[in-house]
Amino acid sequence: MKAKSKPARKGILGGGSWIVDQVKLVDTFPQRESLANISSQYQGTGGAPFNVLLDLAKMGVKFPLAGAGLIGKDALGQYILDECRQNKIDTKFLKATKAPTSYTDVMTEEKDGRRTFFHMRGANAEWKGEGLDFKKTRAKIFHLGYLLLLDSLDAKDAKYGTRGARLLANAQAAGLKTSVDVVSEDSDRFAAIVGPALKHADYCILNEIEAGKTAGFKIRQPDGSLDTVSLRHAAGALLQQGVSELV
């Protein structure tokens, strides 16, 4: 008898930063110890897996969508679960913990739309990928983000460099393609945290600032212009660091 072949993989499993954005429209961004007036506010999705999966669901894609990570046992965590269930996003790998659900207060200035962010890492900081068994998913792609904003996954790993890199390696070993996304921050942590993950990434999604900091190139010039030569060199360097298919 012929052995039964496994069904083809399809769909996306998104893991990492589950965030609720609390967006507040303000008349001005105040100096310290001063006051600003909030004219309106609304709540929305934030974080790599939440945004990607919900956007794809709203677009009406026909392939399966699933999420993985940690949320709190609170109103914001319930909001995330409700949004996922209403949009047919599988939440079996999205677990609840005692830490609060991660959120960001987004202060948006009415005059020019400039935004200032106050972020609570909350439950996201505790997620190590534990309990995420890639053999129990038929997803084709594992999308992980945001590196640099997932404290436990960004921590060092003796074999792979970081726990995030280990998680990506496990996904590839199970037959999934891997995709990574990064948060923009003004630091020198990119090489140490993003670098190890690139060795186990099929697809790497970065803006020009993140690409430059990871690869060691200055892509934005002081006047704001884009150095396209440095941009191409940075993309090539990222491929040389291990990304197998697409930067």
Side-chain angles (χ1 to χ4, degrees), residues 30-52:
Q31 298 294 317
R32 290 183 179 180
E33 300 183 350
S34 297
L35 179 142
N37 294 294
I38 299 173
S39 59
S40 64
Q41 64 181 32
Y42 64 91
Q43 184 167 283
T45 65
F50 200 8
N51 283 338
V52 168

Side-chain angles (χ1 to χ4, degrees), residues 153-184:
L153 281 184
D154 290 338
K156 291 183 179 180
D157 179 272
K159 181 177 180 181
Y160 292 91
T162 67
R163 289 174 178 167
R166 177 183 284 275
L167 190 63
L168 292 166
N170 291 341
Q172 286 186 326
L176 286 79
K177 296 285 188 177
T178 57
S179 169
V180 296
D181 196 357
V182 179
V183 74
S184 297

Side-chain angles (χ1 to χ4, degrees), residues 10 27 33-34 38 48 50 58 67 71 88 117-119 127 136 139 146 158 168 175 191 199 204 220 225-226 239:
K10 60 181 180 179
D27 56 355
E33 300 183 350
S34 297
I38 299 173
F50 200 8
K58 297 290 187 182
I71 57 175
K88 298 181 180 179
F117 305 91
F118 297 86
H119 181 62
W127 191 55
K136 293 183 179 179
Y146 299 115
L168 292 166
K199 300 178 178 66
C204 180
R220 281 284 178 195
S225 63
L226 190 68
L239 289 167

